[in-house]
Structures are given as structure tokens and as C-alpha cells.
Amino acid sequence: MPNFIRNPQDFWSGFIFLFVGLAAVLIGRDYAMGSAGRMGPAYFPTMLGALLSLIGAMSVARSMFRSGEAIGRIALKNLLLIIGAVILFGILVRGAGLVVAVIFLVMASGFASTKFKALPFLAVAIGLAVFSALVFVVALGLPMPVFGPWFGF
Amino acid sequence: MEILGYLSLGFDTALSLNNLLYCLIGVFLGTAIGVLPGLGPVATIAMLLPATFALPPISSLIMLSGIYYGAQYGGSTTAILVNLPGESSSVVTAIDGYQMARNGNAGKALATAGIGSFFAGTVATLLLALFAPPLAELALKFGPAEYFSLMVLGLVASVVLAHGSLLRAIGMIILGLLLGLVGTDVNSGTPRYTFDLPQLADGINFVVVAMGMFGLGEIIANLDHEETRSLLSMKVGRLMPDKDDLKRIVAPILRGTALGSMLGILPGGGAMLSSFAAYSIEKKISKNSAQFGKGAIEGVAAPESANNAGAQTSFIPMLTLGIPSNPVMALMIGAMIIQGIQPGPAVMTEQPALFWGIIASMWIGNFFLIVLNLPMIGLWVRMIMVPYHYLYPGILVFCAIGVFSLNNSEFDVFLMAGFGLFGYVCSKLKMEAAPMLLGFIIGPMMEEYLRRALLLSRSDPMVFLQRPISATMLILAALAMAVVLLPALRKKREEAFVE
């Protein structure tokens, strides 16, 4: 972190606002602007994007003058494991079915815990898989396969 | 009296066997999930929402209201027993409630919270019945300009009342408004910000946003400080407060109820602000103020009554104007839209059974809470004791299944993962998710009303100031903004949130 940034939270949140705001304005240029009386699809988002960029810029500017808290440690491993586990569920659920997807979701996300132990987690995973299959597919009738086509069902 | 007629219609609807059952299930499930540490009402409702899709509209909304009260009540239980407030409105309950529990008075604290909540709920239900009809009548006279200004006022109020950095809260609202615009523009049919993805053509589902930010984001953030909670040697102790205690809690409950009922109506107010304000007032005027922070029963009674009253009256703007005053109401509006009901003043005149049924069911839900929950405290304690490392994978499973089943689409699951990532970044940067969700729901409505207002005025922006109601609301918004920007008052606001 360069040392002229005295408030990293302000800096990075401002950066995000500025980025999204500018993106909204730039992408919005592809849509018709219209006029105030007959607003096109670009009108309102362009207004908002400009406002958001302004707020982002203010926040970035402020971060150099007023000092504030540092950003805490970022738990990259946990972040990747949890997000990855959810994405894995999305990939597996249709092809491999709910049971496999739930087991992978629980095992992968459980790995993020310092208390992870393979066997008890596997038991929890299987329990949850059976429970969800019974409740969501059998009882509530949600349209998802218990075992998917990848297993020849 | 008209109101009695309305209320009896409501109770007729809510007391049908089916609806009673759904209310009961809602309260039960809400409490069960709400007691789990780290899961507040927003995450609980978002998680359980898909379970209500198959129900008829009225049963679904009755069940959702039940889930809301249950989750809120469950949050208080966790706050008292393990000092872990699941949501911001039980933060202050944890202060004295947990100390009472440590002194062996957990039962009394829980019963006090229950009694206070029930009383406050009863009063707020009556207020709701009293104020909803005239407000809805007024709202029917609103034109697009009034609606737009009302939304501005609502959003400004939620910024003012948010804790943390003002600039970030405003940024989050605008970010939410922008996200709400993703999808096909209704007027022109142009797809906006969809990146040519057909899955985004209908916009982003609010459940995806809520679960990603409030569910996943929170879980990742919680894992940073895993297992710091210490459950007491779980002796709940005597449940009922004795005569002495009752004497001490009557006035705080009354004051809390009054305060909560008023603050709940404010946009952005709701349960959280009510409980903070009630606690600090009680601390100032109580004879036992020295005991506050060390287990004062007043410190549980006042905020718990206030937050329940506030929760209930926050339904008023949602039901009568169709405008959410907090993220929970934003979810309720989303749920209504899914059920094919356009929230707004017309609901009351066109679907009186639905409208009054929801109101009556709130009272019934509160009643269920107190008669069911206190005897079942043993079960809730056992739920709380499930270790977090077994709990969060389960929460993830429910979030993933729920989101997938919205549209039977894995894309939504991936999108939720994205919002989870963003939610974690937000929690690291102290950017609040609540204003974003509010903006997200309001975004499309706000654009629509702005368009219509300016179309009618032939693009003259003065229309917002020429119409008296609209002007009043904008002036109030400007005043509110000015007030928080004044340094002296700003310091006071920070103090209020530090407690």
C-alpha cells in the first residue's frame, strides 16, 4: 500500500464506486439517451453512474487526507474455498445430481474451517445430502435430479 | 368502527386452519434458523423464501411474516445466551441480556424479551390497523412526482440512519439502484447491462443478491474469527420474572413500545434504530442506571419491546405505499412481486382479505412466539450449540439449493457466488449491504416514477418542488442530509451508534 493512502477503506471503497460508476456511464453510451421528458434507457443509469463516480472520486480523494482503519487480514484461502465450493455445486447439480453436488459443497467448504476432519464432515455431508433430497426433491418437488445423467440415470 | 370490521376480516383469514398452520411453521422455522449464530432475519428470510413459492399468496406472506418474527426473536435468544447478536437490532440486547445469563438469570431475560415483544407487537398491530387505511387513502392521491420524492426521502433517511461512513452508505445505495436496473428496460425493450447474457435479460433476482451478500458474505467473514463464542454452563434458570422484576420492566416496555412504534415508520428506521434509541434512553433515565451493562433487566425489556414494535410498524410504509423501509421489507416486496401482487396502496382496497390477513397474522405470530418458544427453550439451546464448522456448510447447502430452484438455473448459483465475494469485500471495507439491497429493490420503481413525472411535466424538473407533498418530502430529505453533515450533530450520531 503506497503510504500517501491514509485511509485504505475509503480508498478501496471509493475505487470500487468510481470503477462501477464509470463503467455504467461508458456502457450506457450504447443505449439511447432520450430527453428528460422522454427518457431513453440510458438516461437514469447515466445519471446514477455519474453520481456514483463522483462519490467514488470524493472517497478516493478523502483517503489521502484523513487517516482511518487499516483493512483487516484477508482470508484468501477461506474466500476461495467457499466461493469455489458454491461454484462447484452449480457445475455439478444438473449433471451429477443433488446428492453428489451437496457432498462436494459440504466437503469443499468444510475444508475452510480449522476444525476440518474428513470423517465427521463426510458424515455431515451424506446426512445433508439425504435430507435435502428428501425435503427438496421428494417432499417439495423441486425440479432437480437426485442422481444426474452423468451416472446414466 | 370500521377498523373492527377490517380486523375481524383479517382474523377470519388468518385463523383459517391452513393459514394458522403456515404461520406456525413460519414462526418455528424462523426461530430455528434465527437462533443460529450469524444468521439474522434477512438471511433467514432469503433462505426460506423458496419454500413459500408454491403456496397461495396470502399463506405465503403469512408464513414469511412468521419467519420474520421468528428470526428476530431467535436472534434475541442467541444474543442473550451466547452474546452473539445475529442481527444489528439485538446488539444492545446482548449487553445486559448476556450479563443476566451469566448471573444465572437467562430464563428471566428470555421471558422479559418475550413479554416485551408480545406487548409491543399487540400495540403495533393496532397502530397498523389504525394508520394503514388513512395512509393508503392519501397514497392513492400520490402522483409520480410524490412517489419519486418519497423514495428519495426514504433512501436519504436510510443513509442518515445507517452506521458507519456516510459517503460509503450513499455509494452503496447508488450501486444498488444501478444493479436494480440490470435487465430489459420496460419502456424501450433495450437490454441494459446484460453483457449479452440471456440469463440477465429479466434482471438479477433479489434473492440471489440477498443470499450472496447476507448469507455467503457473512459466512466467509465469520470464518475469520471462528469459534470465539462461549456457551455458558447452560443453566437457563427460572423463567418467569417475579413481582419485583415486573415492576421494573413495565415502564421500560411502555417507553420502548412507544419509541419503537414511531421510529419503525421512518424509512430506514425499523427495528435496529429503535432498539439502540430505547436502550440509550432507558440508560439515561433509569434509577438503576449503574446496573446497565451488568445485567439490568430494563436493558433487555426496553430494546426488545422497541425492536418488535419497530419491526411491526415498518410494515406500514411497505403495505400502504409499496416502499420498503428496510432490507427485510425489501425482501417482502420482492416476495409479493413473485406472487404476482404489485405492492402499493391498491392492495388494501383490492385485496382486503390479504391485507388484513397479514396484519392479523402478525399478532397471531407474536402470540405463537411467546407460548411456543419459552417452553421450547431447551431445543433452541441445542440448536445454538451446533458448532459453527458443522453449521455453515449446511447454510451453504440451503442457499445453493434455494437459489438454484428460483429459476432452475446454475447461472443464479454462480451469480450468488459472485455476490458472496463482493459481500466479503464489503465487510472488509465496512461497506454496508443493507442500503444496497434497499436501492436494488427501489431502483426500477424510482426510474419509472421519475420518467412518468417528467413526462407529465414536459421535462420540467420543477414539478418536484411545485407539488406541495412532493416538495415537503424533498425538503425533509435535504434537512436530514444537512443535519448529519453538521459536525456537532454528526458526533452525536456516532456516539449513539457506539453504545
Side-chain angles (χ1 to χ4, degrees), chain A residues 24 31 41 73 94 109 113, chain B residues 192-193 226 392 408 410 428:
Chain A
Y31 316 133
R73 196 181 59 88
R94 204 184 292 275
S109 65
S113 170
Chain B
R192 288 190 290 188
Y193 307 102
E226 196 181 350
Y392 76 84
N408 206 25
E410 45 271 79
K428 282 285 155 192

Side-chain angles (χ1 to χ4, degrees), chain B residues 184-348:
Chain B
T184 310
D185 169 36
V186 276
N187 288 31
S188 63
T190 315
R192 288 190 290 188
Y193 307 102
T194 57
F195 304 98
D196 290 325
L197 294 166
Q199 295 95 333
L200 285 178
D202 287 334
I204 302 168
N205 195 301
F206 72 98
V207 179
V208 173
V209 182
M211 279 206 209
M213 303 276 293
F214 289 88
L216 302 198
E218 288 291 303
I219 287 175
I220 305 169
N222 282 342
L223 279 173
D224 284 3
H225 31 87
E226 196 181 350
E227 298 300 314
T228 42
R229 68 194 146 118
S230 53
L231 199 62
L232 307 160
S233 57
M234 248 1 292
K235 267 225 214 99
V236 172
R238 253 169 69 88
L239 266 182
M240 284 330 274
D242 52 38
K243 226 186 197 157
D244 234 27
D245 297 322
L246 281 177
K247 234 184 253 158
R248 283 174 64 181
I249 61 175
V250 171
I253 286 179
L254 289 174
R255 282 190 289 261
T257 303
L259 191 69
S261 305
M262 281 187 295
L263 292 177
I265 304 175
L266 286 186
M272 198 258 307
L273 183 73
S274 311
S275 60
F276 276 81
Y279 187 81
S280 41
I281 287 181
E282 218 50 55
K283 194 175 170 182
K284 283 211 178 83
I285 63 174
S286 172
K287 275 180 293 185
N288 304 318
S289 57
Q291 239 191 321
F292 271 68
K294 301 190 193 100
I297 196 166
E298 294 93 337
V300 175
E304 279 299 303
S305 317
N307 87 35
N308 207 42
Q312 204 115 338
T313 52
S314 67
F315 272 84
I316 294 179
M318 195 277 277
L319 285 171
T320 55
L321 306 169
I323 291 183
S325 53
N326 57 43
V328 172
M329 291 304 122
L331 284 174
M332 294 294 278
I333 286 201
M336 285 174 99
I337 294 172
I338 287 178
Q339 291 284 353
I341 302 163
Q342 188 55 50
V347 174
M348 207 178 101

